[in-house]
Amino acid sequence: MMEPTTLPAVAAPISFGWLFVKMVGVLGLLVLSLLFIGKWFLPRLGKGRFSLRQEKGRISVIERFPLEQRKTLYLLKVAQKYLLVGTGDHSVQLLGEFEKNEME
């Protein structure tokens, strides 16, 4: 009596369509994770102990108000005074100066 012979295992054919779908999915997750890092994590990184920003200085921007595409009003605090500054395409102008008690 003959013993049954086993045939060698044959690998399933590669589906390039499925590989493409997996590649697009992984790239999509990578892009989304980079967007998440850029939008959420990087701004918080600048507020840490080793920040490049100086928050203990005497000058700070209290408020920014855009008027047009290239024209903006800034309310600055310099020492104990408040300055209203207007900026344009090629100019910066002091529009007003206020004491601390006038702003409250």
Side-chain angles (χ1 to χ4, degrees), residues 36-49 51 53:
F36 175 75
I37 289 171
K39 187 74 172 167
W40 183 82
F41 183 69
L42 289 178
R44 285 158 179 77
L45 186 66
K47 296 179 183 177
R49 196 169 99 184
S51 171
R53 301 178 190 169

Side-chain angles (χ1 to χ4, degrees), residues 3-74:
E3 294 182 25
T5 59
T6 57
L7 297 175
V10 178
I14 298 174
S15 169
F16 289 106
W18 176 244
L19 287 176
F20 180 75
V21 169
K22 286 188 347 184
M23 179 189 68
V24 168
V26 169
L27 286 175
L29 287 175
L30 180 66
V31 167
L32 287 176
S33 64
L34 289 175
L35 287 174
F36 175 75
I37 289 171
K39 187 74 172 167
W40 183 82
F41 183 69
L42 289 178
R44 285 158 179 77
L45 186 66
K47 296 179 183 177
R49 196 169 99 184
F50 301 107
S51 171
L52 296 176
R53 301 178 190 169
Q54 292 184 2
E55 296 186 17
K56 296 180 182 178
R58 293 185 179 187
I59 300 174
S60 61
V61 178
I62 303 299
E63 196 168 336
R64 177 183 178 269
F65 185 77
L67 298 173
E68 293 178 12
Q69 186 174 5
R70 293 189 176 122
K71 295 180 182 178
T72 306
L73 289 176
Y74 290 96

